Amino acid sequence: GVTAGLGVEARRPWACRLLGLFGFLVCDSCVFFSQIINNYLERTQGEAVDKACSSGMHFRDSKRKVDYVLAYHYRNRLARHLPGRAPQERPGSPGPEVIELGPLDALEEEKRLQREEYERNLVEAGLEIEKDPENKSQGLSFVRIHAPWQVLSREAEILKIKMPTKKVYEITEEGGILKKLNEIWCKLTEPLQPQVPQQENTNMKSIGTLIANNVYDAAYPLHDLLYQEWARYGVFYKFQPIDLIRKYFGEKIGLYFAWLGLYTEFLIPSSVVGIIVFLYGCITIESDIPSKEMCDQRNAFTMCPLCDKFCDYWNLSSACATARASHLFDNPATVFFSVFMAVWATMFLEQWKRLQMRLSYSWDLTGLEEEEFLCVLSQDEEKLTWSDRMPGYATNFGLILFMIMLTFSAVFGVIVYRITTAAALSFSTKETTRSNVRVTVTATAVIINLVVILILDEIYGAVAKWLTEIEVPKTEKTFEERLILKAFLLKFVNSYAPIFYVAFFKGRFVGRPGHYVYVFDGYRMEECAPGGCLMELCIQLSIIMLGKQLIQNNLFEIGIPKLKKLFRKLKDERTEPKETDTNQSKDPQQWDLDYSLEPFTGLTPEYMEMIIQFGFVTLFVASFPLAPLFALLNNIIEVRLDAKKFVTELRRPDTVRAKDIGIWYNILSGIGKFSVIINAFVIAVTSDFIPRLMYQYAYSQNGTMHGFINHTLSYFNVSHLKAGTQPENSPFAHDVLFCRFKDYREPPWSQNQYEFSKQYWAVLSARLAFVILFQNLVMFLSVLVDWMIPDIPKDISEQIKREKAVLVDFFLKEEHEKLKLIESFIARDQQKHKSETKAGPCGDARELGRHAGILLAHAASVVGPQPSLFLQTPCGAWGIERALLL
């Protein structure tokens, strides 16, 4: 930026304030330009020009547009004489010279001086401002700022914003079948394109220092478009106007909505495949032999009691409904869908890199990395040593570990609830209650898990921010990255811990009849349903995913901003006196409406909820093929909900340039790789896919699934039950000699009774082999997809190559013209040298040539290895030409 101002007064610590409206540093000046403001206000008031533009976006003259608004609360003081001293009047003075200021008056006077100093420096920098008169004893006032075209042009020159060169070069694309298909696609999708006006937007940053000191309450640009064709739910079927979003909000928010749009589009094919997999399960449910055997009452598999003393023996056919429902999500198509989703995640990330490169090229972000600099948050932070930061790091480690343990404790608490509730319901005298114990416990436990997750999510967000602040990061970028990592770690553990328990731990440490594992010395560890834990995992995943999307992502986003807006309005009405303002128009202006909106706090919550959803879609998709469909339905609403929130619920944020989505891409990539491992273990350990495969090809006598249920059930001699655990008042206890339980163990008549059988070790080996094979296959396919899809689109790479060639040709042509000009100077100097007689030579042509060579060498050093970054600026080739001519 450029420093505007003539000097700095040492007695005013507020002298330098970073405005950042157009990138310049506004400092204190000894010259007060209040007459410019006063003349303008006096003229407008004298001419009675007090009508605003119909849109509420302009100054009182209805010509100059309001580019930025500063809002502040003021409080006018009353003059009081010092005790013991009489007021001294000066001729023409409006009041006494000596007055007494109270503490609040002194603070308000300090703020007023800072505002005056800041605003006059804005005027010195070339901006035009318009202020509201302070007619009440206290209230809200606005300072409206207009940036003339001359100021924008000057700052564009200083910031070296790229502009076209003197000549326009048309770069044509090659024809072919792809171009024709693209034209056909553009015509077909033309009704889906939003009809929005094109409008440029100035890049304005915050004035955080003054706002932090409560000199100003808020600083923001005004909302003026984007609602009709983007933020309405009625246009959900249309594409987003990404380019206009970028111009309106800046590149950082534009990249978020571009990423969200691409993610939503990619959910369409995954949803279609998920529906096909689900329909395959529905179609093949009648031909599934294991579920038919389980539902066949003629088999009469007498199962061991589910609890001690109060539970009776039961028939496996009573779990028919659970077995049939499990087949909907546990079938051979699930394995294919898991592989598909792993490749899908890789294709999504690769396509995002291509889209990001395309946007980076069209938005002129390719050279942004060289222009970025890290702003130190505080001058004292540079002096902090490792020993100074060590307590903050130790606190971070300890508190994060405590929060993770708190999450595990909540999960364990829900487990205890499930065990105790199941035991309590088993004591019921009602048959319907006892028969629905598993359904009741599962449903209530999942709801409790959801409530705990929602509460801890809000707590973890605040804790992560506080932990990042006590670390005292050096830069704003470092602060944001550390905050994201902490918040993601805590929310990841919080969201997925109950699902991990059901998928990999529930039913694994139960023991066997006669030797169960107990907690609290009397409660048996809970077992999976007869059809396996995959069905319960599906219920857990679906309820938590849908609950978070419905409550946290939608209701909270709609309700919380409205409640905060209502609370702020009631607070303002209570604190401000009810005085009539004669200069206030009846209809509120746009700056009044925007001030009542909620301030923008960043994109971290928006990204976080989508990243957690991405985890639900990819990590456990083997257990819930319909997860992409529900995510798609949610995101169709989420895109317009976020758009409406940004346009109608939040103040328009200052534009921020960014070349990518930052650390979020690394998190997405990590989740994609982690999902391969998780899905491999879900298929191998949680589902019955491997046991069925082993039985069909290793143990079945006819190569079919007949006899699979009997093969997976072990025998137990009921006489080996511990004393006091046998069923009480069982009507057929005397008729039962052996009961069955699901496991691979030796029968009671074997020498190694109840030990793990050979089938157990064979199935375990097959499970581990499948995990290794699945991971390597998916990783190979992911690497193959990554290799086949280039990161840079071909048309963009060709465009960049052609532009470089054009720029090199342009530069060489310009240099050739400069060389001809130098040669003409040398020839003219030689002729003038020959015509000289007594006065001597007027100049040395060789000296002129030497100076010209120095100028050319300097120009080449300025251009450097990337001439395009120099020639496309307003001071590019024109500057070289002007320097040589001078």
Side-chain angles (χ1 to χ4, degrees), residues 714-787:
S714 299
Y715 287 90
F716 180 77
N717 192 336
V718 297
S719 62
H720 294 166
L721 289 172
K722 290 183 179 180
T725 62
Q726 297 90 346
E728 292 184 351
N729 301 323
S730 176
F732 52 92
H734 299 288
D735 300 331
V736 177
L737 298 178
F738 298 96
C739 64
R740 311 292 295 271
F741 64 99
K742 190 174 182 179
D743 206 346
Y744 291 101
R745 291 183 180 270
E746 295 290 343
W749 53 83
S750 174
Q751 293 182 352
N752 301 321
Q753 60 178 359
Y754 307 133
E755 296 292 332
F756 288 117
S757 62
K758 295 180 181 180
Q759 290 87 347
Y760 171 83
W761 299 109
V763 171
L764 180 62
S765 302
R767 293 180 193 268
L768 297 178
F770 174 82
V771 170
I772 297 173
L773 179 63
F774 183 88
Q775 291 184 18
N776 285 276
L777 174 63
V778 174
M779 289 297 182
F780 170 76
L781 294 177
S782 300
V783 172
L784 182 63
V785 170
D786 189 5
W787 174 75

Side-chain angles (χ1 to χ4, degrees), residues 446-491:
V446 172
I447 294 174
I448 294 174
N449 268 326
L450 177 61
V451 174
V452 171
I453 288 173
L454 294 178
I455 295 175
L456 291 182
D457 264 355
E458 301 301 321
I459 297 175
Y460 288 166
V463 170
K465 184 177 181 180
W466 179 75
L467 289 177
T468 310
E469 289 175 350
I470 66 174
E471 279 188 352
V472 195
K474 291 184 178 180
T475 64
E476 186 177 355
K477 182 178 180 181
T478 306
F479 178 89
E480 184 179 8
E481 289 181 351
R482 292 184 181 182
L483 173 62
I484 290 172
L485 285 176
K486 291 183 182 64
F488 174 73
L489 175 62
L490 294 175
K491 293 189 176 185

Side-chain angles (χ1 to χ4, degrees), residues 252-293:
K252 192 170 186 178
I253 295 179
L255 285 173
Y256 163 71
F257 281 103
W259 174 85
L260 180 59
L262 182 67
Y263 172 50
T264 305
E265 290 178 13
F266 258 74
L267 285 173
I268 296 176
S270 60
S271 301
V272 172
V273 178
I275 293 173
I276 294 175
V277 171
F278 179 75
L279 293 178
Y280 172 82
C282 295
I283 295 172
T284 59
I285 190 172
E286 297 297 334
S287 59
D288 182 53
I289 297 176
S291 60
K292 291 175 65 176
E293 288 184 348

